[in-house]
Amino acid sequence: MNGVQEQYEAYPYPERDPEEERRRLIVGSPSHPHEIDHFIYGGRRDWRKPLRALVAGGGTGDGLIQLAALMDRAGRPCEITYLDLSVAAREVAEARAAIRGLSGIRFITGSLLDAADLGPFDYIDCCGVLHHLPDPQAGFDALAAALAPDGGIGLMVYAPYGRSGVYPLQEAFGAVLRGLPPAERLARARRIFERLPEGHPFRRNPHLVDHEQSDAGFYDLLLHSQDRPFTVAELAAALSGAGLDLVSFNQPALYDLARLLPPGVAPPEGMGRIARMGVAEKLRGTIKTHIAYAVPAGRGAAAQARASDRSLVPHLKGVPGPQLARAVAAKGQITMTAGAEKRVETVPKSAAPLIGLIDGRRPLSAIGARAGLDPVAFSARWGVIDRALCGWGMMLYAQPA
């Protein structure tokens, strides 16, 4: 058993109590069905067709349970394969699924490097795994080989700048505590951590909280034996090397260089898309994970849903249309909180009536007609809404709920 597998047998991650499934459903990105439709299928997937999905490195089951539960709630057929090396993590995931009465899930203990033997899949979730492989590129390649030609991948990998202070601590703990069993490593690391000076980069980083939430979180963040982050450029190169296109990050506004430059300052002419996003990542300096969607090479430009297709249905994520409309009408802005960061997006108060018509059933054409706007006037007003809400992952285009 290698160090990574030993860790997750001792401390399945993230730490979850299956009984909590009776009280709440943990949702997030990637792998919400609306995100899958928006970023991979152009908002046009026929959900009557079963979704063949792989959760590669499924851990204790957050991505698995979200996808299976939301598909079940919507009455959409799916066949989901869960794959992970940790028996302890799998047991937690199985218990969570059993409490929810979820069926159609195949549980397998094994490596994602063997994913191609299980596919092909319409969708693959790989969240928090590739950066822990001894050869991450082999993982990207394996997932690409398991993907159906018209399918896509939702993934999360660590990013370097928002994890300031993590890697010096991992190296220091590794040097001092090498060879100890997991429980002893954790106990000693916590004692050492208490003595860190207040000026240590990790103590100055407000974006990292896993070490405060559980033993599994502390171990995964600061005692991991195999962990490397990816810059935007490195992630794009790994995807390209596997024959995949980077479609988008789940919150493209984070990587929009134009939002970070003052008026009158523009990127050099000819700077490519990946380079611009890479500069934005450096200017923000707070991105700790990259959550992205990718498809087989050649499909990237057409995969993501666009507001120019007025047959698409907009869905709001996390807030009902009327509630958001009232906030916009009152303040002319949307305030979002992500960890220690607060982001404010300006939205004209005149956009409030259109936002109030978003109900997950009306297509864009019906919203425009209900508002009494001709196509040209509607496109002008909706463009502002699209940039603000889709940019921050608050609105997605997909088929009716």
Side-chain angles (χ1 to χ4, degrees):
M1 184 184 297
N2 62 35
V4 174
Q5 189 173 0
E6 180 186 50
Q7 170 185 333
Y8 290 124
E9 294 296 353
Y11 297 104
Y13 182 80
E15 187 172 305
R16 297 291 183 233
D17 177 0
E19 286 299 317
E20 290 201 5
E21 295 304 318
R22 303 185 192 280
R23 298 184 291 275
R24 65 164 181 164
L25 173 66
I26 296 172
V27 296
S29 297
S31 300
H32 191 290
H34 290 160
E35 284 193 9
I36 295 171
D37 205 347
H38 180 96
F39 290 113
I40 293 174
Y41 291 101
R44 291 178 164 274
R45 188 178 197 279
D46 181 357
W47 290 97
R48 294 170 299 182
K49 177 182 177 183
L51 180 75
R52 299 166 299 170
L54 170 68
V55 181
T60 53
D62 282 5
L64 168 74
I65 299 302
Q66 171 184 241
L67 181 57
L70 291 179
M71 292 291 285
D72 180 70
R73 185 180 297 174
R76 293 171 170 174
C78 64
E79 303 162 2
I80 304 178
T81 298
Y82 164 102
L83 180 65
D84 199 281
L85 280 173
S86 169
V87 173
R90 169 181 167 169
E91 289 174 350
V92 175
E94 285 184 303
R96 294 172 70 182
I99 285 174
R100 286 191 172 272
L102 298 172
S103 59
I105 303 173
R106 175 173 56 157
F107 287 92
I108 297 176
T109 300
S111 169
L112 67 78
L113 297 179
D114 300 322
D117 298 334
L118 306 172
F121 296 98
D122 305 310
Y123 177 68
I124 297 175
D125 168 292
C126 189
C127 190
V129 182
L130 293 162
H131 46 240
H132 292 319
L133 298 179
D135 179 4
Q137 189 60 54
F140 283 96
D141 295 346
L143 296 181
L147 197 59
D150 62 346
I153 298 175
L155 60 93
M156 183 277 277
V157 295
Y158 292 150
Y161 308 120
R163 286 167 65 83
S164 174
V166 168
Y167 296 103
L169 286 182
Q170 283 188 2
E171 292 173 9
F173 287 145
V176 173
L177 305 175
R178 182 176 293 110
L180 295 175
E184 185 64 20
R185 290 189 80 207
L186 176 65
R188 294 192 184 189
R190 284 196 177 279
R191 288 164 56 197
I192 297 170
F193 183 82
E194 291 174 359
R195 299 173 65 87
L196 292 181
E198 288 302 317
H200 191 285
F202 185 88
R203 287 216 185 271
R204 308 284 290 181
N205 187 341
H207 307 288
L208 301 168
V209 297
D210 274 13
H211 62 295
E212 300 172 348
Q213 296 177 337
S214 67
D215 286 346
F218 189 104
Y219 208 109
D220 195 74
L221 182 65
L222 297 177
L223 290 172
H224 214 293
S225 61
Q226 204 159 264
D227 179 342
R228 62 144 297 180
F230 287 80
T231 64
V232 167
E234 289 167 342
L235 175 58
L239 290 169
S240 178
L244 299 168
D245 286 345
L246 172 61
V247 177
S248 177
F249 294 101
N250 73 318
Q251 291 187 326
L254 277 177
Y255 304 84
D256 183 357
L257 182 56
R259 295 174 189 255
L260 296 168
L261 298 178
V265 178
E269 188 174 343
M271 179 180 279
R273 170 179 173 247
I274 300 301
R276 292 196 304 273
M277 291 194 293
V279 173
E281 177 188 19
K282 292 180 175 69
L283 289 177
R284 285 202 179 275
T286 58
I287 299 173
K288 61 182 181 179
T289 61
H290 297 306
I291 300 174
Y293 286 89
V295 297
R299 285 190 51 227
Q304 183 170 310
R306 309 287 179 181
S308 55
D309 183 350
R310 298 186 68 211
S311 69
L312 297 181
V313 177
H315 298 257
L316 289 174
K317 191 175 179 183
V319 59
Q323 180 180 332
L324 184 60
R326 287 193 294 271
V328 171
K331 297 183 177 180
Q333 64 183 34
I334 299 170
T335 302
M336 297 155 284
T337 301
E341 284 191 277
K342 181 177 286 187
R343 303 171 187 137
V344 177
E345 186 78 17
T346 299
V347 181
K349 293 182 178 181
S350 60
L354 290 179
I355 294 173
L357 292 173
I358 301 173
D359 63 0
R361 297 184 298 275
R362 294 189 185 97
L364 294 174
S365 58
I367 291 175
R370 184 78 174 264
L373 298 173
D374 63 61
V376 174
F378 175 77
S379 294
R381 290 198 193 180
W382 191 261
V384 178
I385 297 171
D386 179 270
R387 182 177 186 272
L389 300 185
C390 289
W392 293 109
M394 294 180 65
M395 185 171 71
L396 303 158
Y397 298 117
Q399 294 303 299

